[in-house]
Amino acid sequence: MKTRKALALLTVLLRRNSQPVAREEIADLFWSASDRDRASQSLRQALRQVRLLEDACGIPFLEAKHTYLAAHAGPLNWDVPTLFQLLQQGNGASLETARDLWKGPFLEGYDTLDPNFGDWLAVERENIRWQAVERLVELFSGAERSGNSVILEVAARFVVDIDPGHEIAHEALLRYYRETGQMELAQHQLSACEREVNQKSGLAANARKAIETSRQTALLASGQSSARSERSQDLNFLPEGDDVIRLPKIAIASIAVQKKGDAKARALRDEIVNGLSSYQYFDLYQADYEEPGGVAALARLDDGELGSYLLRFRTECELEKVYLQFEDRQSGKILFHDVVDLSDWSTSCEARPLAFHSVNRIHSQVLHRLRNPRNTAPFAKWCQAEAMLWEFSRTADEKALRILNDLERQCPQFSLTYAGKASIEMKQLLYYAVKNASDVPRIEEAVMLAEKAVTLDPWQSINQRLFGWALVLCGATEDAGNAFSEASRLNPMDPSNLMSVAEGLAALGRYQEAVKYAEKALSTFTFPPRIVNEYMANIYFAAGDYERAIQFGERAPLGSLISLATRVSALMCVGRESEARSVLQLYRGKYENLLSSDLFAEINDASWDQRINIFQDPRVRHNYQVGASLVRRSVLGEA
């Protein structure tokens, strides 16, 4: 084609899979700086170029009507669906062909055609990358379990091509090369891993230790010297300091879980232990090995204000039951006792809801005790600050910030301190109207704090999640998607984590994932915070389900202007403008005296409605902006 915009226009239509797209939407996507007449003329010129391509290939695919456009691919082959067809086949030949087809990011170099198109492209690029990586991880994980070395290597290397920092793919290749004795390839892969993956994550150090161990074994077997090279002497990328944070201890005692036929009991235990470790809020121990006295000697243990606990698993195979007992080892008190019927489920997937229940109950029991202000241990102070962060009020944030500042002075290497401070910075930016435009916080501060948290501990889901949110607010959508995906992988048990990730993915345009995570989180909460309704409203608004967005918006926190903006925007989208204006009047009239004194104060914050518009999809962003602008004018007394 003569112009890149014509090719980009065709690509947008093809990605819609024959769905009609309004001409105005296309014009806004590619000629956002032009007036309507000039944009329409440019659109007609681009469509003529598409028609020439249609004539040249002899395949009618373009449908151009007065009000809308559509592209029906039919027999017209293009590389994106071909790529996913090859990945779906999943054999060695198809993966090699797909890898040859992948030439880099989707429409690389087209980002600057127009700011609106750049936003659309960022979301589509991430969707394609994420879908490809998800399928490839599924393939090489299955191949590793079944011993299919061809699929394992090709699929894992393909993931590294797409995402050079993908740690799971690096780990799979390192294991494969070590186990097959290909130490030179393992060393080469490790070097690539060290270049791309944050060295402080510890993956590179652990991998180097494993490679060195394998090499030593091979040298000893052959009778050669086992001297270590100078390069492999320094294996610790994270030197230990004196400010190590102590956590509550949970000892896990497994009684009678080695008998034949108790695979389901082991699966349940492993799901619970995995869930507890995902939080990184507990020091976990295998009670059977903790001391020579065995399990019985662990009944009482005083470990200070952080607490020490015992989780007992007792399996009765004949009765098909597992008895779970959670004890406070300081007092000997049984905090709860559950009986799980193994006959009610048959797969490990079905065990996860039961594990969710137990993990969240343990988490609540332990953290509720630590949130008492009398506790002064660093981790207890973090628990107190975290509880305040979920209140979403300026007063609570001010209290939390004082705690976090003290923690930073006391334990400067504690990563969650910086994640908490990043959260407060972002809430200052979004939730609290300011009286002067000069007082608006800068997103760069939140990005810097969240990045420091990830650097100190990339395995903490809270750090990754808040880093993702900071990146959303500064427009780095691809990196934000990676951070959210990592947060969900690191802790799939925490409903608060999943709900926040879901809202972030919805903001990026990954609606199906967002709804899946949100519904999973909603079903897991024992007592969901009221702010969860705001998250759900935003998620369903992004997905285009405006009725459900309205329902959740009605239950969202009364004092949140973001909740109000989502609710008003959804009402406008379904044509209920009079109701939207009535809601605004109701807030100003009936609730003004009940809310914080400065919520409806006269403010000079004309950009607030732009700041709270987190959505990256141009269509969703436009729809939200209508309601947000109405709310801003209402708050300022302009409407």
Side-chain angles (χ1 to χ4, degrees):
M1 293 187 182
K2 292 182 180 179
T3 66
R4 297 197 303 162
K5 278 192 176 180
L7 178 60
L9 184 154
L10 174 59
T11 307
V12 170
L13 296 178
L14 289 171
R15 284 291 287 168
R16 292 297 181 92
N17 296 320
S18 300
Q19 294 297 316
V21 185
R23 280 178 175 262
E24 290 81 2
E25 183 177 342
I26 295 294
D28 289 341
L29 202 58
F30 289 101
W31 297 279
S32 60
S34 301
D35 58 46
R36 180 62 65 193
D37 291 339
R38 186 180 296 274
S40 297
Q41 182 181 358
S42 299
L43 174 58
R44 287 193 294 273
Q45 292 173 353
L47 287 172
R48 280 197 288 272
Q49 295 184 43
V50 178
R51 285 294 188 197
L52 291 174
L53 174 65
E54 188 180 50
D55 294 340
C57 67
I59 300 174
F61 56 79
L62 180 64
E63 182 181 358
K65 301 297 183 182
H66 181 65
T67 58
Y68 71 86
L69 306 169
H72 309 286
L76 181 68
N77 291 325
W78 66 296
D79 54 1
V80 174
T82 300
L83 173 77
F84 286 111
Q85 289 167 8
L86 292 167
L87 292 180
Q88 195 58 40
Q89 293 173 20
N91 56 57
S94 67
L95 290 180
E96 290 286 5
T97 304
R99 192 177 174 196
D100 291 339
L101 188 60
W102 186 280
K103 301 299 182 185
F106 181 51
L107 287 182
E108 187 171 17
Y110 280 59
D111 313 61
T112 57
L113 290 182
D114 186 278
N116 285 352
F117 177 71
D119 292 341
W120 176 89
L121 181 58
V123 174
E124 290 298 303
R125 186 176 287 167
E126 172 59 18
N127 283 338
I128 292 172
R129 187 202 67 79
W130 175 82
Q131 291 175 32
V133 169
E134 184 182 48
R135 173 59 179 158
L136 288 164
V137 170
E138 179 184 313
L139 287 171
F140 76 65
S141 298
E144 191 171 23
R145 289 191 296 270
S146 64
N148 190 330
S149 60
V150 173
I151 300 295
L152 190 160
E153 186 173 16
V154 174
R157 295 207 69 82
F158 195 175
V159 172
V160 173
D161 290 345
I162 297 172
D163 182 1
H166 199 285
E167 299 176 22
I168 297 176
H170 280 294
E171 288 177 319
L173 287 169
L174 284 165
R175 282 195 299 270
Y176 168 65
Y177 291 140
R178 288 201 312 269
E179 291 168 1
T180 55
Q182 303 179 70
M183 301 313 299
E184 292 303 320
L185 285 176
Q187 189 67 54
H188 176 76
Q189 190 64 38
L190 175 60
S191 298
C193 169
E194 289 176 335
R195 285 196 306 270
E196 300 294 345
V197 180
N198 185 338
Q199 291 185 348
K200 291 185 179 181
S201 69
L203 169 62
N206 293 336
R208 185 174 296 285
K209 288 179 181 178
I211 290 174
E212 187 61 28
T213 300
S214 299
R215 182 181 286 113
Q216 295 298 316
T217 302
L219 289 173
L220 289 171
S222 62
Q224 300 180 37
S225 169
S226 61
R228 298 172 62 184
S229 66
E230 292 182 4
R231 186 183 176 197
S232 63
Q233 286 178 357
D234 184 11
L235 302 178
N236 189 4
F237 288 99
L238 274 178
E240 292 188 5
D242 297 329
D243 55 351
V244 176
I245 300 295
R246 294 177 60 247
L247 303 174
K249 293 180 179 179
I250 298 180
I252 298 166
S254 302
I255 304 172
V257 293
Q258 300 299 325
K259 296 180 180 178
K260 184 178 180 181
D262 62 351
K264 289 200 291 185
R266 289 196 299 272
L268 177 65
R269 179 198 60 193
D270 291 345
E271 290 286 349
I272 292 175
V273 173
N274 177 60
L276 291 172
S277 65
S278 295
Y279 275 96
Q280 291 200 28
Y281 274 17
F282 315 103
D283 284 333
L284 301 178
Y285 297 91
Q286 183 66 41
D288 312 60
Y289 307 138
E290 193 175 65
E291 56 185 66
V295 176
L298 297 174
R300 303 292 290 271
L301 177 67
D302 188 358
D303 200 34
E305 66 182 43
L306 289 172
S308 185
Y309 304 88
L310 177 64
L311 177 60
R312 296 180 188 268
F313 292 86
R314 183 167 65 85
T315 305
E316 293 292 346
C317 293
E318 294 78 6
L319 300 176
E320 292 192 272
K321 294 185 185 298
V322 173
Y323 298 87
L324 277 69
Q325 187 165 292
F326 191 60
E327 305 172 14
D328 185 332
R329 292 169 62 186
Q330 293 177 314
S331 65
K333 181 180 179 180
I334 297 175
L335 300 178
F336 70 82
H337 186 97
D338 277 345
V339 181
V340 180
D341 192 337
L342 300 177
S343 63
D344 289 343
W345 50 278
S346 57
T347 68
S348 60
C349 291
E350 294 175 284
R352 285 171 191 162
L354 299 170
F356 275 151
H357 173 75
S358 297
V359 169
N360 289 325
R361 195 167 178 183
I362 292 170
H363 179 264
S364 299
Q365 289 272 3
V366 176
L367 266 62
H368 177 74
R369 168 180 169 176
L370 294 178
R371 285 171 179 162
N372 188 320
R374 290 197 298 267
N375 295 319
T376 58
F379 182 72
K381 302 304 289 184
W382 158 252
C383 292
Q384 296 158 29
E386 184 187 26
M388 294 174 189
L389 294 177
W390 279 103
E391 291 184 28
F392 282 77
S393 74
R394 185 171 297 185
T395 302
D397 280 355
E398 289 172 354
K399 293 179 181 177
L401 187 59
R402 288 196 291 271
I403 294 174
L404 294 172
N405 285 335
D406 289 341
L407 270 178
E408 184 177 2
R409 286 190 291 270
Q410 185 180 357
C411 307
Q413 299 302 310
F414 185 34
S415 68
L416 291 176
T417 301
Y418 305 100
K421 295 177 78 169
S423 173
I424 292 173
E425 287 287 334
M426 287 185 278
K427 283 192 284 183
Q428 293 286 339
L429 189 70
L430 297 177
Y431 278 87
Y432 314 131
V434 295
K435 295 187 181 289
N436 296 296
S438 60
D439 295 335
V440 175
R442 296 171 65 247
I443 185 57
E444 292 83 359
E445 180 71 16
V447 174
M448 182 186 71
L449 288 165
E451 189 170 20
K452 184 170 184 177
V454 171
T455 301
L456 287 170
D457 187 358
W459 306 116
Q460 175 54 259
S461 60
I462 297 175
N463 297 344
Q464 292 285 356
R465 183 177 79 235
L466 289 171
F467 189 38
W469 272 112
L471 292 171
V472 166
L473 296 182
C474 70
T477 53
E478 183 172 357
D479 290 336
N482 293 339
F484 286 132
S485 296
E486 185 68 1
S488 65
R489 184 186 70 82
L490 288 172
N491 192 349
M493 287 280 189
D494 182 3
S496 299
N497 181 56
L498 294 181
M499 186 62 74
S500 183
V501 164
E503 189 187 23
L505 293 175
L508 297 176
R510 290 162 58 171
Y511 312 125
Q512 291 182 342
E513 286 179 88
V515 171
K516 180 186 74 173
Y517 282 132
E519 292 180 345
K520 179 180 178 181
L522 201 61
S523 67
T524 307
F525 274 113
T526 305
F527 301 105
R530 198 171 181 185
I531 192 68
V532 164
N533 293 302
E534 179 183 302
Y535 290 0
M536 295 296 293
N538 287 337
I539 291 163
Y540 281 115
F541 182 88
D545 191 341
Y546 301 121
E547 293 295 343
R548 297 197 71 179
I550 292 168
Q551 292 170 10
F552 280 104
E554 291 170 349
R555 301 196 292 264
L558 184 63
S560 171
L561 289 176
I562 293 181
S563 297
L564 180 60
T566 305
R567 183 179 173 188
V568 170
S569 300
L571 288 168
M572 296 292 287
C573 285
V574 294
R576 293 154 62 179
E577 181 175 353
S578 60
E579 185 177 343
R581 294 189 180 276
S582 296
V583 169
L584 288 173
Q585 286 287 13
L586 182 66
Y587 265 68
R588 285 195 62 85
K590 183 176 180 181
Y591 296 130
E592 184 170 355
N593 295 329
L594 301 178
L595 303 176
S596 57
S597 60
D598 62 347
L599 186 59
F600 286 99
E602 291 296 322
I603 57 173
N604 180 21
D605 191 9
S607 64
W608 170 81
D609 56 331
Q610 298 283 341
R611 293 206 314 272
I612 67 168
N613 195 341
I614 60 175
F615 303 104
Q616 306 300 305
D617 185 310
R619 176 183 58 82
V620 180
R621 188 174 182 84
H622 170 76
N623 290 342
Y624 189 85
Q625 195 61 46
V626 173
S629 298
L630 271 178
V631 173
R632 180 184 62 81
R633 293 199 299 272
S634 175
V635 171
L636 291 173
E638 299 172 4

